[in-house]
Amino acid sequence: EQTVRDMDSLIKKYPQLQGHIQSTGVSLEQYHSKFSKLVETTKNYIKFQVGWFLGAGTIFAVVGAITSAAKAAMEFAQTLKDMQAVTGATDEEISMIAEAAKKISRETPLAATEVAKLGLQLLRAGLSAQDTAGAMEVAAKVATVSGEDVKTVANTIATAMMAWKLSAADSERIGNTIAAALNFSRLQVEDLGV
């Protein structure tokens, strides 16, 4: 009801408003035209800003991803160098462990650098490079399935392999035994006492 009254009032004042607007020398159409141009310019400016922010966001995301990948590759290479320096492993042994780490990182949620550090830990425990490559894969899979810490699982596998003089061929059997013990009980790797 109030709106109807306001409209009636505006209609009654229209001739007076039109006279005032015409006395300034600017028609209502000119106001409308200028206002439309302002709206269009504002729309174009907002589109430009949104496009720029989206483009910049994409560029920053790509640069961030490349930087992360480069850092991960450098850290992986440094871990392999450290492994060779600490253990005295040959280039061939390091290459075998590196390839195993890359393969494991594709098959598990673990990063290649984390798997390589696991390899260093197993080499330090006294396993050969071949046994280390096999034990890394088993430890990563058991840790993934059981939710246990990969380093703890690796230490347990290395201890079992060393204590019972087992080879890489036996590491899968050891891993399966550990996984079964963990899954069918409330035990954790530390509780196994290996």
Side-chain angles (χ1 to χ4, degrees), residues 104 124 127 135 147 151 191:
I104 294 164
R124 283 182 174 163
L127 296 182
K151 291 180 180 180
D191 301 329

Side-chain angles (χ1 to χ4, degrees), residues 4 7 17 31 35 50-51 53 55 71 74 110-111 131 137-138 140 143 151 164 170 176 182 191:
V4 172
M7 288 297 291
L17 288 173
Y31 276 120
F35 183 72
V50 168
F53 284 122
K71 284 172 94 175
M74 289 187 307
L110 302 174
D131 289 345
E137 182 173 5
V138 172
K151 291 180 180 180
W164 291 304
D170 299 308
N176 289 338
L182 297 175
D191 301 329

Side-chain angles (χ1 to χ4, degrees), residues 65-81 98 102 111-114 116-117:
I66 291 170
T67 302
S68 268
K71 284 172 94 175
M74 289 187 307
E75 186 179 355
F76 181 70
Q78 186 59 50
T79 300
L80 295 175
K81 287 179 185 177
K102 290 175 192 174
T113 301
E114 188 176 359
K117 289 178 180 178

Side-chain angles (χ1 to χ4, degrees), residues 165-177:
K165 300 188 184 344
L166 301 172
S167 69
D170 299 308
S171 63
E172 188 171 340
R173 185 170 49 96
I174 296 167
N176 289 338
T177 303

Side-chain angles (χ1 to χ4, degrees), residues 58-131:
T58 302
I59 290 169
F60 290 135
V62 169
V63 168
I66 291 170
T67 302
S68 268
K71 284 172 94 175
M74 289 187 307
E75 186 179 355
F76 181 70
Q78 186 59 50
T79 300
L80 295 175
K81 287 179 185 177
D82 293 347
M83 184 185 300
Q84 191 167 29
V86 169
T87 64
T90 66
D91 288 342
E92 293 80 27
E93 291 170 330
I94 294 298
S95 179
M96 177 178 48
I97 292 171
E99 289 306 313
K102 290 175 192 174
K103 177 183 176 272
I104 294 164
S105 73
R106 287 189 300 268
E107 296 172 354
T108 67
L110 302 174
T113 301
E114 188 176 359
V115 178
K117 289 178 180 178
L118 177 64
L120 175 58
Q121 179 183 348
L122 292 167
L123 284 171
R124 283 182 174 163
L127 296 182
S128 69
Q130 184 176 355
D131 289 345

